[in-house]
Amino acid sequence: MMIAHPVTVVGVGNEFRRDDGAGPSVVARLRERVADGALPVGIRLVCCDGEPGRLIELWTDVALAVVVDAARALPGHPGRIHRLESCANTVRQGGAASSHGLGVGAAVELARALDRMPGRLIVYAVEGADGSPGTGLTPVVAASVGPLAERIEEEIIQYIARTQGES
């Protein structure tokens, strides 16, 4: 497999549906970290509406894909972050569901069927409080963006160090 981008971070969501913009907000924070030199240049940082075909296209031929999406959970705890990894079929629909129609779980299942999974897939789901039309995250979700971006940054740096050590 040819690796087009060793690391891709996808912020899934719609910035015009309040907390559904959590994924794009995390990507914006990571872009700032690249500009500051904290993250290496070459990491692909993109936003997507969550349509399964587009997600699959973004993570095909990627060594590490990190997807950040808003989620709904019952009972909900807005701002809580869930981490799922695709090892051993762990990313499935159910539980904390995407705020989009089909969601990331459907994309994972389709990608598996098409043999188009990234080398490693990590999904971070941020529980939202408000998905109504409008801009700006609710305060509790906004407070989770910085810590989540830092967590993803650390994970990427560790991943790069580990893979460079294997070379």
Side-chain angles (χ1 to χ4, degrees), residues 17 93 96 115 121 131 152:
R17 284 189 44 225
Q93 281 186 288
D115 196 26
L121 173 65
I152 292 169

Short mmCIF file of all heavy atoms in Angstrom, two decimals, residues 17 93 96 115 121 131 152:
data_model
loop_
_atom_site.label_atom_id
_atom_site.label_comp_id
_atom_site.label_asym_id
_atom_site.label_seq_id
_atom_site.Cartn_x
_atom_site.Cartn_y
_atom_site.Cartn_z
N ARG A 17 -24.28 24.32 13.00
CA ARG A 17 -25.21 23.58 13.86
C ARG A 17 -24.61 23.45 15.26
O ARG A 17 -24.47 22.37 15.80
CB ARG A 17 -25.53 22.20 13.27
CG ARG A 17 -26.50 22.28 12.10
CD ARG A 17 -27.00 20.92 11.62
NE ARG A 17 -27.37 20.02 12.68
CZ ARG A 17 -27.02 18.74 12.73
NH1 ARG A 17 -26.29 18.21 11.77
NH2 ARG A 17 -27.40 17.98 13.71
N GLN A 93 -21.42 1.22 15.06
CA GLN A 93 -22.52 2.13 15.34
C GLN A 93 -23.18 1.69 16.64
O GLN A 93 -23.14 0.53 17.02
CB GLN A 93 -23.55 2.09 14.22
CG GLN A 93 -23.11 2.90 13.02
CD GLN A 93 -24.20 2.96 12.00
OE1 GLN A 93 -24.47 1.97 11.34
NE2 GLN A 93 -24.80 4.10 11.86
N ALA A 96 -22.71 6.05 21.66
CA ALA A 96 -22.64 7.46 21.34
C ALA A 96 -22.74 7.60 19.83
O ALA A 96 -21.79 7.33 19.10
CB ALA A 96 -21.32 8.05 21.85
N ASP A 115 -12.34 -2.95 1.80
CA ASP A 115 -10.91 -3.03 2.08
C ASP A 115 -10.24 -1.66 1.88
O ASP A 115 -9.21 -1.55 1.23
CB ASP A 115 -10.24 -4.10 1.21
CG ASP A 115 -8.86 -4.47 1.74
OD1 ASP A 115 -8.61 -4.33 2.95
OD2 ASP A 115 -8.01 -4.89 0.92
N LEU A 121 -7.12 3.54 12.76
CA LEU A 121 -8.18 4.53 12.83
C LEU A 121 -8.55 4.79 14.28
O LEU A 121 -8.86 3.85 15.02
CB LEU A 121 -9.43 4.07 12.08
CG LEU A 121 -10.67 4.97 12.21
CD1 LEU A 121 -10.42 6.33 11.57
CD2 LEU A 121 -11.88 4.28 11.58
N GLY A 131 -27.48 20.91 18.96
CA GLY A 131 -27.24 20.74 17.53
C GLY A 131 -28.16 21.60 16.69
O GLY A 131 -28.33 21.36 15.51
N ILE A 152 -4.84 14.74 20.95
CA ILE A 152 -4.59 14.26 19.60
C ILE A 152 -3.16 14.60 19.18
O ILE A 152 -2.47 13.77 18.58
CB ILE A 152 -5.62 14.83 18.61
CG1 ILE A 152 -7.00 14.24 18.92
CG2 ILE A 152 -5.22 14.57 17.16
CD1 ILE A 152 -8.15 14.92 18.20
#
